[in-house]
C-alpha cells in the first residue's frame, strides 16, 4: 500500500506542476476561465453553484462573475423556481473566449509534447490519458 501512496503523491505533484505550467498560457484569470468552463460544460448555474463546484467562497466566485459580466462573457436571467436567484449563462463571446483559451493551452502543451517526447513516449502518454480520466471520474463521483 505504501508504494501506491508514493505513486499517488508523485502523480499529484506532477499533475499539479503540469497544470500550473499550462495555465501560464492563460490570458484571463483562472477563476474566470474556470467559471466559463463550468458554464460551458454544465449549462446555466447560480453563483453559489459555481462556488461550490470550484471549492471557493461565494465572495470569490461573485468577484469573478462580476468581471465576466462586465466583459460580456456571461449573462444573467431570473432563476425559474427562485426569483431571489439569478442563473448565469455563458454568452457567445464567452464561449469564443473560452475556446481561444483552450486552444492556446493545447497549443503550448502540444508543442511541449512534440519538442520533448519521442514518438514512443508520446504513445505511452496517450495510453495514460484514459487512466487519468478514470481516476478523475472516481475521485469526483463522491
Amino acid at each position: 500500500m505504501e508504494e501506491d501512496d508514493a505513486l499517488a503523491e508523485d502523480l499529484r505533484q506532477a499533475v499539479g506542476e503540469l497544470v500550473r505550467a499550462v495555465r501560464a498560457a492563460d490570458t484571463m484569470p483562472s477563476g474566470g476561465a474556470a467559471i466559463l468552463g463550468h458554464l460551458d460544460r454544465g449549462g446555466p448555474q447560480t453563483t453559489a453553484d459555481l462556488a461550490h463546484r470550484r471549492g471557493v467562497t461565494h465572495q470569490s466566485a461573485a468577484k469573478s462573475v462580476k468581471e465576466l459580466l462586465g466583459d460580456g462573457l456571461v449573462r444573467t436571467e431570473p432563476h425559474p423556481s427562485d426569483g431571489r436567484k439569478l442563473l448565469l449563462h455563458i454568452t457567445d463571446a464567452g464561449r469564443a473566449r473560452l475556446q481561444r483559451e483552450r486552444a492556446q493551452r493545447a497549443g503550448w502543451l502540444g508543442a511541449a509534447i512534440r519538442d520533448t517526447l519521442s514518438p514512443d513516449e508520446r504513445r505511452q502518454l496517450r495510453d495514460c490519458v484514459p487512466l487519468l480520466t478514470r481516476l478523475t471520474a472516481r475521485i469526483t463521483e463522491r
Side-chain angles (χ1 to χ4, degrees):
M1 190 59 107
E2 282 184 23
E3 187 176 321
D4 287 343
D5 290 346
L7 172 61
E9 178 57 18
D10 289 346
L11 180 61
R12 186 197 64 76
Q13 283 186 322
V15 169
E17 289 175 18
L18 177 64
V19 167
R20 285 186 290 280
V22 171
R23 281 189 183 150
D26 289 352
T27 61
M28 66 185 307
S30 62
I35 287 173
L36 290 178
H38 282 293
L39 293 174
D40 184 53
R41 287 185 304 276
Q45 299 172 55
T46 65
T47 300
D49 294 335
L50 291 165
H52 177 73
R53 282 183 174 73
R54 293 194 55 235
V56 300
T57 65
H58 187 279
Q59 189 174 17
S60 175
K63 181 177 183 275
S64 294
V65 165
K66 183 178 178 181
E67 292 170 3
L68 294 169
L69 282 166
D71 292 339
L73 304 178
V74 299
R75 67 175 175 80
T76 62
E77 74 176 31
H79 193 284
S81 62
D82 186 343
R84 300 167 297 170
K85 297 179 181 179
L86 292 174
L87 276 180
L88 297 163
H89 295 257
I90 190 169
T91 64
D92 289 343
R95 197 167 276 109
R97 177 71 184 269
L98 180 62
Q99 184 55 41
R100 285 193 306 273
E101 291 290 321
R102 287 174 172 167
Q104 190 163 333
R105 287 178 191 166
W108 269 41
L109 186 53
I113 289 169
R114 285 187 300 278
D115 294 347
T116 307
L117 303 178
S118 71
D120 187 52
E121 289 171 325
R122 289 195 296 272
R123 278 190 292 280
Q124 290 176 39
L125 183 59
R126 192 175 298 109
D127 290 343
C128 290
V129 172
L131 301 177
L132 294 171
T133 301
R134 282 180 33 214
L135 284 173
T136 302
R138 170 60 175 87
I139 292 167
T140 58
E141 71 186 12
R142 296 176 197 173

